Structures are given as structure tokens and as C-alpha cells.
Amino acid sequence: REQQDRVNQKMEKLAADNQRLQAELQQTKDHCSQVEAGLAAAQSSLKASQDEDSDDLVRARASIVAFEEENRKLRAEVASLRKQLMEAQSRAASPPITPRVPQPP
């Protein structure tokens, strides 16, 4: 009888331990699910941020290309204006050309 009581007590303790471990396991599973959900949200947020950064980079590159094109046009215009200025200065420095009028014989 005493041995049966000890076996019953051990069985009850094992059953209680089993219940406690099952509850801890469920809590751990719940916690893992929350962590996974948080991780998924963080990954989604990171991807959205990277996409936004990528879009910003594309816009910045397009702006740079447009700026370089405008800069090229302005440089060409400056070169043309310099050439015109040099021609005008050259004309101003040379003596005026008087047309030759034929003299009557």
C-alpha cells in the first residue's frame, strides 16, 4: 500500500510537471509567434524603406543627368558667346574697311 501511494504521488507529480511543461511550451510557442510577426513587420518596413530609398536614388540620378545636360548646354552657349565676343573685339580693333570707289579716267 505504501509503495502504491509513492507510485501514485510520483504519477501525480509527473502529471503536474507535464501540465506545467505543456503550459510553458504553449507560452514559448505564443512568444515565438509574436517574435515572428514582429520580424515580418520589421522586414516589410525595411523593404518599404529600401524601395523608397531606391526610388529616391533613381530620382536623384535622373536629376543629375538633367543637370549635366543643362550644364553641357550652358557650356556650349558660353563657348559660342566667347567666340562672338572675340570676333566683335577683333572687328573693333581692325581699321574700318572703306569701299573702293573707281575713279573716273
Side-chain angles (χ1 to χ4, degrees), residues 5-54:
D5 286 345
R6 273 188 268 150
V7 168
N8 285 344
Q9 285 176 347
K10 264 201 173 199
M11 291 296 285
E12 287 173 6
K13 183 179 180 326
L14 288 174
D17 286 348
N18 186 35
Q19 271 188 323
R20 181 181 52 79
L21 290 172
Q22 289 290 338
E24 286 179 18
L25 176 62
Q26 188 58 48
Q27 286 178 338
T28 302
K29 284 181 179 178
D30 292 346
H31 181 70
C32 285
S33 292
Q34 291 171 351
V35 168
E36 286 173 348
L39 178 60
Q43 287 173 331
S44 175
S45 176
L46 178 61
K47 181 168 179 0
S49 177
Q50 287 172 335
D51 289 348
E52 187 176 311
D53 289 348
S54 180

Side-chain angles (χ1 to χ4, degrees), residues 44-104:
S44 175
S45 176
L46 178 61
K47 181 168 179 0
S49 177
Q50 287 172 335
D51 289 348
E52 187 176 311
D53 289 348
S54 180
D55 290 346
D56 289 346
L57 184 59
V58 167
R59 283 191 293 273
R61 285 183 177 155
S63 294
I64 288 169
V65 167
F67 173 78
E68 287 173 342
E69 178 63 19
E70 183 66 21
N71 192 24
R72 185 195 63 74
K73 288 178 183 176
L74 290 173
R75 285 179 184 270
E77 187 176 344
V78 166
S80 173
L81 290 172
R82 279 189 180 149
K83 181 179 176 187
Q84 291 174 24
L85 176 61
M86 288 172 56
E87 289 171 353
Q89 287 173 337
S90 176
R91 282 193 305 270
S94 42
I97 300 173
T98 54
R100 243 176 147 200
V101 178
Q103 298 292 329

